[in-house]
Amino acid sequence: MINRVVLVGRLTKDPELRYTTNGVAVVSFNLAVNRSFTNSQGEREADFISCVIWRKGAENFANFTHKGSLVGVDGRIQTSSYDNQQGQRIFRTDVILENFSLLEPKNQNGSTSSNNFSNQNSQSNYNQNANNFNNQSNTNNQYRNSNQKSKDPFQNNNGGIEISDDDLPFCGGTI
């Protein structure tokens, strides 16, 4: 059996991080997903889909998203029901997230556009990761630039090239 949902949409409000009595993090939110067609007036309508994310993913989601954030989500549909105070049976359908992706570019301070995070640890971790990536990119660019200056990479090798097993893009062993 297959129960898989993949959506791309925008948050209708800021996510609110809550904790269960057992201390498990949870975020519930609505995702506005545009329909792929227009109505008779030529307007594009949207569906508002209830989503839930749990544990560490919920904490990350709350820290890095805000109202209007464009996100991609991956999860499963879950239905439930309960009786309200008037004795009526209420049915719910939620998408329980397993993964999410931020789909908007970051601005220079590490947050998504038009949002400043107050969580200093997340901000410093993001900046540290961004610096590591930039340092790696600079090293790769220097390597590429130095290789572009030399026209023949085999010019001074006298016909031989030394390659260690670690440089090969596959594992050793027999098949």
Side-chain angles (χ1 to χ4, degrees), residues 4 13 27 32 39 42 44 52 61 71 91 143 145 152 170:
R4 177 62 60 213
K13 66 178 187 175
V27 172
N39 62 17
R44 190 169 303 274
V52 179
F61 193 87
V71 296
F91 293 92
Y143 176 77
N145 290 339
D152 183 3
F170 50 85

Side-chain angles (χ1 to χ4, degrees), residues 57-130:
E59 293 173 340
N60 289 334
F61 193 87
N63 285 333
F64 293 105
T65 61
H66 56 89
K67 179 180 179 179
S69 291
L70 182 66
V71 296
V73 300
D74 173 24
R76 61 182 170 81
I77 290 179
Q78 179 174 296
T79 58
S80 60
S81 64
Y82 62 93
D83 293 329
N84 67 8
Q85 293 177 346
Q86 292 78 25
Q88 297 172 322
R89 174 126 316 203
I90 305 296
F91 293 92
R92 284 189 56 94
T93 301
D94 296 306
V95 175
I96 308 301
L97 301 189
E98 295 173 8
N99 297 300
F100 71 90
S101 295
L102 305 176
L103 300 178
E104 293 182 305
K106 305 279 184 200
N107 62 21
Q108 291 180 348
N109 68 1
S111 63
T112 55
S113 57
S114 77
N115 185 23
N116 294 319
F117 299 120
S118 61
N119 185 333
Q120 294 300 319
N121 289 334
S122 295
Q123 186 67 40
S124 65
N125 287 341
Y126 175 82
N127 288 337
Q128 182 179 5
N129 290 339

Side-chain angles (χ1 to χ4, degrees), residues 24-45:
V24 178
V26 61
V27 172
S28 298
F29 62 95
N30 283 327
L31 194 64
V33 179
N34 284 343
R35 294 182 179 168
S36 60
F37 54 89
T38 57
N39 62 17
S40 60
Q41 290 80 28
E43 300 167 337
R44 190 169 303 274
E45 295 178 355

